[in-house]
Amino acid sequence: MFRLIHVGVYVVGYLLLKLGKLKTLMKTAETDPRKAEEESQIFVKQVMTGILKAAGVQVHVTGLENIPKDTAVLYVGNHRSYFDVISGYAYVPGRLGFVAKEEIRKVPVLAEWMKLLRCVFLNRSNPREGLKAILEAIGNVRNGTSMWIFPEGTRSTGSELDMLPFREGSMKIAEKAKCPVVPVAFTGTAEVFEKHFPRITAGEITLHFGEPFSIADLPDDQRKTSAAYVQNRIREMICEDLGIPYQPAAGIGENGKES
C-alpha cells in the first residue's frame, strides 16, 4: 500500500500546486490553443514520468524509430491497465490526445487538463454523441495532434494475449483523417496494479511501437476488418516481447482476415 499512497499523494499534491498553472493555460487556450496544448503536454509528461518513478516502475521502450516524425498518427494499443495511459503519455513524442470514456469528463481538474491536451470523450451509449467525438478526433489529427485509442473499449483481464475484440469503428479516425496507424503493444502493466488491486508493485513494463501502416494501402478484404488486422499485429508484437511463438487469435488469420 505504501506505493499506492506515495503515488496518490504525489498526483493530488502536484495537481493542487499547479491549479494556478491550469487556470493560466485555460485562459491562454482562448486566444492561442496551440501554445496552451504544447505547454500542457510538457506538464503532463512530467506528471506521468513522476508517477512511474513513484511507483517504482521501469519502462522498456522499443520501436520509437517507427513513429513518423512529420505527421500526426493514430496510436492503437491493447489495454490492460491505467499504466498503459501513464507510460504512453510519458514516452510518446509530440502532441498527443487520448480517446477516453465519457465518464472521465466529470472528474474535476483531470478533465480540464485532458481538454487542453485535445483528448476527446467518447459516449458509447449515444451514437450521435459518439460520432461527434470521432469527428473531433479526426479534426485533431488533421490539425497535427496524434490521437490514441484502445479499441477494446475497456481494460481486458487475464494474460496479455487475452484481448477483447477490437471495435471496427475505432479505425474510422485513421481512415477519415488519412493518417498512419501505429500499433502499440503493452506487456507487464497489469502486473503493476490491476493484478493485485489496490496495491502497486514495482515492476517492468514493455512499451513496443510497431511499424506504421495506412488503412488505404491494405487489400480490400483486410481494409474491411482493419481493427482485427491491427489487433493481430499487436498480438504478434506481444508474443515477440514475451519470447513465445506467435499464434493468431481464434477465428482470425495472420493477416487479420476471418479464418
Side-chain angles (χ1 to χ4, degrees), residues 33 37 72-74 95-100 102 105 111-123 127-149 172-174 176-177 179:
E37 180 186 357
V73 306
L74 177 68
R95 295 151 58 198
L96 174 67
F98 271 79
V99 178
E102 173 67 21
R105 193 197 296 268
E112 300 306 323
W113 279 111
M114 292 179 69
K115 290 173 186 176
L116 289 170
L117 295 169
R118 301 292 184 186
C119 295
V120 300
F121 302 95
L122 182 61
N123 187 339
R128 179 173 295 182
E129 293 300 316
L131 177 59
K132 287 182 181 179
I134 295 300
L135 291 174
E136 183 180 351
I138 292 169
N140 288 345
V141 173
R142 287 173 174 169
N143 288 321
T145 299
S146 295
M147 298 300 299
W148 190 312
I149 194 166
K172 290 295 182 183
I173 299 171
K176 298 299 183 183
C179 70

Side-chain angles (χ1 to χ4, degrees), residues 46-150:
Q46 291 173 343
V47 173
M48 298 307 183
T49 300
I51 291 174
L52 292 170
K53 184 176 180 180
V57 173
Q58 183 177 1
V59 183
H60 301 282
V61 184
T62 61
L64 279 173
E65 69 279 1
N66 290 325
I67 300 176
K69 296 179 174 59
D70 56 353
T71 186
V73 306
L74 177 68
Y75 295 98
V76 180
N78 61 314
H79 193 25
R80 302 181 65 237
S81 172
Y82 291 116
F83 277 85
D84 300 334
V85 179
I86 294 168
S87 55
Y89 251 125
Y91 287 95
V92 166
R95 295 151 58 198
L96 174 67
F98 271 79
V99 178
K101 294 181 179 179
E102 173 67 21
E103 291 78 7
I104 299 179
R105 193 197 296 268
K106 301 175 183 178
V107 180
V109 182
L110 175 60
E112 300 306 323
W113 279 111
M114 292 179 69
K115 290 173 186 176
L116 289 170
L117 295 169
R118 301 292 184 186
C119 295
V120 300
F121 302 95
L122 182 61
N123 187 339
R124 298 186 187 278
S125 63
N126 186 321
R128 179 173 295 182
E129 293 300 316
L131 177 59
K132 287 182 181 179
I134 295 300
L135 291 174
E136 183 180 351
I138 292 169
N140 288 345
V141 173
R142 287 173 174 169
N143 288 321
T145 299
S146 295
M147 298 300 299
W148 190 312
I149 194 166
F150 295 111

Side-chain angles (χ1 to χ4, degrees), residues 63 65-68 73-74 180-183 209-214 229 233:
E65 69 279 1
N66 290 325
I67 300 176
V73 306
L74 177 68
V181 176
V182 176
F209 296 98
E211 295 183 5
F213 70 92
S214 171
Y229 172 82
R233 289 276 298 271

